[in-house]
Amino acid sequence: MAEQARPHGAFDAPSDAHDPIRAGYVLRLGDDSLILGQRLSEWCGHAPSVEVDLSLSNLALDLVGQATLLLGAAGDADTLAFKRDVLDFRNCLLVEQPNGDFARTMVRQLLFSTWQHLLYQRLAVGTDEQLAGIAAKAVKEVAYHRELAGEWVVRLGDGTEESARRTADGLDWCWRFVPELFEVDAELEEACRCGLAVDPRSFEEEYRASIAAVLQEAKMAQPADQRPILGGRRGHHSEHLGHLLAIMQYLPRTYPDAKW
Amino acid sequence: MSDWPLWEVFVRTKGGLAHRHVGSVHAPDAELALRHARDTYTRRMEGVSLWVVRSADIVASDPDQAGELFEPAADKVYRHPTFYDIPDEVKHI
């Protein structure tokens, strides 16, 4: 990747100026995967056991792999990942939330992977050949993420008193970021109109039912709806993303000519 | 986790071959043992099928009895199929 990185410039706009709608949509997907992959990689060496450490690292690597392909479809992947500032990221707010404890991380994963799985199933049979190809490859990875996160949420929710309390706290933290996953702004509406994007509202019911089923099996109460927090798709991020980027971007920004 | 039971992991590397023991994982139950085995031992395309079995369920021979169990076979060389020519094309025999 680094070989192709442009050392200067192109700090914000996706480089595919020919089709800004497409580049903007692919950027959203790529940023979701990139930021969640970076978040999960923070667990490396800190997970509850060596087996879970590997599970989380595998999820992280899958997501960073997706990001490499998606950002590559939106422009130059390295430039987009390492040379953009926080306001130019288009990921949803859920993926940038701090890991918290293992329960919160697994709740976040369930809420995101379920959404990503339903979305990618549809993108994989979409009209954009490149995007369909990326989604078809990723959908198997994401199916596994969804199942794994679901199994953990069930075990933690229906586990000990402490694990149930931590799972409830994790749900409470993440729940307000779910509505953003189904928000359709003007940009997404345009991408849907030209047949490129999938309107997430088309699978919202299926999503809600799937999450409710997991929570029921986990003997967890579904949290009351909170005031939704939106804005990630417009670059209005929580304070947490800046800290994540500072770590992720430190090396290529400090040593722009570094190769690896 | 220290209170999770241990599971032995067997991987079939490709169709037609037997499952081979590759190591062990800790996991709270069978389903997660399979997931841990997948994440630990098949990350580099090593397998097409996985078995896990609780280590506690394996019945092992007693090393102290190795003499009576295994040594009687040592001087019966005629039991080895070494007197046949095996064609190069035959693998995994």
Side-chain angles (χ1 to χ4, degrees):
Chain A
M1 272 169 77
E3 290 285 341
Q4 301 146 17
R6 272 168 274 153
H8 302 290
F11 270 52
D12 46 13
S15 66
D16 188 357
H18 302 297
D19 191 351
I21 294 291
R22 180 179 188 274
Y25 182 61
V26 176
L27 193 63
R28 291 179 178 201
L29 302 176
D31 283 351
D32 284 348
S33 293
L34 178 68
I35 300 304
L36 187 55
Q38 175 69 18
R39 266 289 176 243
L40 285 171
S41 74
E42 293 169 10
W43 271 109
C44 193
H46 300 277
S49 78
V50 65
E51 293 87 352
V52 176
D53 212 286
L54 274 172
S55 293
L56 294 173
S57 301
N58 281 347
L59 302 197
L61 284 170
D62 286 346
L63 286 159
V64 171
Q66 294 162 16
T68 306
L69 296 174
L70 289 163
L71 294 183
D76 180 77
D78 271 4
T79 307
L80 288 169
F82 297 125
K83 307 238 168 118
R84 268 183 304 158
D85 287 331
V86 62
L87 292 175
D88 300 315
F89 274 79
R90 291 291 176 265
N91 56 281
C92 61
L93 296 169
L94 178 63
V95 296
E96 72 194 43
Q97 295 309 305
N99 289 331
D101 55 19
F102 181 64
R104 195 207 289 175
T105 294
M106 281 297 116
V107 167
R108 183 187 64 199
Q109 198 66 43
L110 175 70
L111 294 177
F112 180 75
S113 295
T114 304
W115 178 82
Q116 196 189 16
H117 188 226
L118 294 170
L119 174 64
Y120 278 37
Q121 281 176 329
R122 288 157 176 81
L123 287 175
V125 293
T127 51
D128 186 284
E129 205 173 304
Q130 187 184 21
L131 189 53
I134 296 171
K137 176 177 184 292
V139 77
K140 294 191 197 96
E141 299 166 348
V142 176
Y144 188 82
H145 302 178
R146 179 184 180 181
E147 286 169 22
L148 182 74
E151 293 205 2
W152 270 117
V153 168
V154 167
R155 279 161 181 78
L156 294 166
D158 189 17
T160 64
E161 203 176 305
E162 184 187 1
S163 70
R165 175 177 53 75
R166 287 172 181 267
T167 309
D169 287 350
L171 265 174
D172 200 45
W173 180 289
C174 296
W175 199 247
R176 63 206 144 134
F177 302 109
V178 170
E180 187 187 26
L181 301 175
F182 297 98
E183 185 198 17
V184 178
D185 59 9
E187 209 179 304
L188 179 54
E189 202 172 314
E190 184 60 36
C192 290
R193 192 176 306 130
C194 63
L196 170 75
V198 171
D199 187 331
R201 292 169 303 194
S202 66
F203 56 82
E204 182 167 6
E205 211 170 301
E206 192 180 344
Y207 176 89
R208 298 270 178 193
S210 169
I211 298 296
V214 175
L215 294 184
Q216 191 181 14
E217 198 185 340
K219 303 202 168 79
M220 299 295 303
Q222 189 157 307
D225 280 337
Q226 306 164 10
R227 191 171 63 85
I229 303 185
L230 309 168
R233 304 301 188 196
R234 295 185 296 282
H236 301 164
H237 293 284
S238 61
E239 82 239 40
H240 309 296
L241 184 60
H243 295 281
L244 178 148
L245 293 182
I247 292 168
M248 187 179 83
Q249 298 181 335
Y250 166 77
L251 195 136
R253 291 227 192 201
T254 311
Y255 305 98
D257 301 323
K259 290 190 180 6
W260 64 88
Chain B
M1 303 290 279
S2 55
D3 53 343
W4 286 351
L6 193 64
W7 304 75
E8 299 302 320
V9 180
F10 299 82
V11 177
R12 164 175 280 167
T13 50
K14 59 181 184 179
L17 296 191
H19 288 74
R20 281 178 82 108
H21 183 240
V22 293
S24 55
V25 292
H26 288 92
D29 54 49
E31 287 77 28
L32 280 174
L34 263 186
R35 300 222 178 258
H36 287 171
R38 180 261 194 192
D39 288 337
T40 306
Y41 291 110
T42 66
R43 312 174 72 222
R44 300 177 187 86
M45 303 194 305
E46 292 96 335
V48 296
S49 169
L50 272 174
W51 287 350
V52 292
V53 60
R54 257 179 191 271
S55 308
D57 288 341
I58 289 182
V59 181
S61 63
D62 182 353
D64 289 342
Q65 291 184 317
E68 62 199 76
L69 285 174
F70 307 120
E71 270 174 33
D75 60 354
K76 299 180 176 62
V77 66
Y78 49 85
R79 290 182 181 169
H80 293 269
T82 48
F83 305 102
Y84 304 95
D85 289 328
I86 298 173
D88 289 340
E89 303 85 62
V90 177
K91 298 201 165 63
H92 311 302
I93 198 158

